[in-house]
């Protein structure tokens, strides 16, 4: 992949990601169902990672190719400029990625120390006293921990699902504790830690993209919406769950980072409260069949958007040939296919007016 192809990729990929994120936000408002919206964000993060992989591994259509009209001298000048821009962007991106990964590693070390030094495993007697019934499904190999510090409850999963409860919470009323347990169990039951991991991977690779920051905040809030709804419906009244939310959320801001805390930001707590209140006021919503049709339609639309946007490429590749509407295969993918005896085109079919050898030599220099 030469500098012009790489410039085309880094210019088009952020636009593709922006379209996907905006589409999910719009579809989420159309569906207005927390469980479905969680699935939309999971599909969205997988799609974003897929777009990144496809951009660097697969060819793509060139629906617009205005740069082919450039004169040879203008194309040469732009190509040299793209080389310098790409070198600068790669350095900045690598520095940013390193900073993000170092911070993530530091948080993981702090969390590991928190588990080993500030928590203890709950005894079987303590687990037996938790206000959970036979109808409450528990993940396999679930680990219960009690923290010695005062903070909000949270769950986490790398190999084993883990729920951490502060010791002060165990002394709360049974209804409050049950609300918290149902909330955290729903996070684990619906694989929210996996979505959190996908979200974190997108954040690391595209740390510079405001749309990814926006997507992370929306996905986090959607996960909490869903768990709030499940826990509130399983309780006596929504009003009782709101009391739990207000009481426990005050302590949740101090929960360790990189975990699924009960509540971290005051603004998010306000929005979660407003959503629960609005659901009480509109208790007679659409029936389940209508909601299911909306969910299927939204997921289908998102998949269609991803397929279309994967071919949305800005016409900035000065080496792009007007003789074919398809880009060449990236060199590393083409070399791998050649090893298996599959012949693919990994070069541009240049117009006669372009001096390919001279431009490529400039790239190597």
């Amino acid at each position: 992949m030469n500098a012009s192809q790489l410039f085309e990729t880094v210019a088009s990929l952020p636009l593709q990601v922006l379209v996907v994120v905006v589409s999910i936000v719009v579809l989420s408002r159309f569906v207005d169902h927390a469980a479905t919206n969680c699935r939309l964000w999971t599909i969205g993060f997988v799609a974003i990672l897929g777009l990144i992989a496809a951009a660097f591994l697969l060819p793509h259509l060139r629906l617009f190719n205005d740069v082919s009209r450039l004169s040879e001298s203008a194309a040469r000048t732009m190509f040299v400029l793209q080389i310098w821009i790409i070198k600068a962007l790669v350095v900045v991106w690598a520095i940013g990625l390193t900073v993000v990964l170092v911070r993530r590693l530091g948080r993981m070390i702090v969390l590991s120390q928190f588990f080993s030094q500030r928590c203890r495993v709950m005894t079987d007697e303590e687990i037996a006293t938790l206000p959970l019934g036979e109808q409450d499904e528990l993940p396999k190999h679930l680990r219960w921990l009690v923290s010695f510090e005062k903070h909000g409850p949270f769950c986490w999963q790398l190999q084993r699902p883990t729920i951490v409860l502060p010791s002060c919470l165990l002394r709360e009323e049974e209804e409050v504790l049950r609300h918290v347990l149902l909330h955290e169990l729903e996070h684990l039951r619906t694989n929210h830690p996996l979505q959190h991991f996908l979200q974190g991977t997108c954040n690391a690779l595209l740390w510079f993209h405001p749309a990814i920051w926006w997507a992370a905040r929306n996905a986090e809030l959607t996960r909490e919406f869903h768990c709030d709804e499940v826990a509130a419906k399983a309780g006596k009244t929504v009003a009782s769950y709101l009391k739990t939310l207000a009481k426990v959320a005050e302590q949740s801001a101090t929960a360790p980072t990189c975990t699924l805390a009960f509540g971290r930001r005051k603004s998010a707590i306000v929005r979660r409260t407003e959503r629960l209140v609005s659901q009480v006021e509109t208790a007679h919503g659409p029936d389940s069949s209508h909601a299911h049709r909306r969910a299927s339609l939204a997921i289908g639309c998102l998949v269609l958007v991803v397929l279309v946007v994967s071919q949305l490429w800005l016409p900035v590749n000065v080496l792009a040939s007007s003789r074919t509407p398809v880009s060449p295969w990236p060199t590393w993918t083409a070399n791998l296919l050649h090893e298996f005896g599959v012949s693919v085109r990994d070069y541009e079919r240049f117009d006669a007016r372009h001096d390919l050898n001279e431009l490529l030599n400039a790239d190597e220099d």
Side-chain angles (χ1 to χ4, degrees), residues 287-360:
D287 57 40
S288 58
S289 60
H290 181 69
H292 180 72
R293 286 195 298 270
R294 279 199 169 197
S296 301
L297 179 61
I299 293 175
C301 288
L302 179 58
V303 172
L304 180 61
V305 167
V306 172
L307 293 176
V308 172
V309 82
S310 66
Q311 302 305 317
L312 180 60
W313 290 76
L314 297 177
V316 294
N317 187 345
V318 296
L319 300 184
S321 173
S322 60
R323 297 174 57 186
T324 176
V326 181
S327 70
W329 283 76
T331 304
W332 36 69
T333 310
N335 290 339
L336 180 62
L337 292 175
H338 292 162
E339 290 292 331
F340 289 93
V342 180
S343 179
V344 294
R345 179 174 61 86
D346 58 352
Y347 56 88
E348 291 280 5
R349 293 174 178 169
F350 278 84
D351 301 322
R353 62 188 180 86
H354 284 92
D355 190 347
L356 172 61
N357 292 327
E358 186 175 346
L359 289 175
L360 290 180

Side-chain angles (χ1 to χ4, degrees), residues 14 60 93-94 96 186 205 247 250 282 287 323 341 357:
H60 57 269
W93 175 80
E186 186 64 17
L205 295 176
K247 179 182 295 185
E250 294 178 357
T282 58
D287 57 40
R323 297 174 57 186
N357 292 327

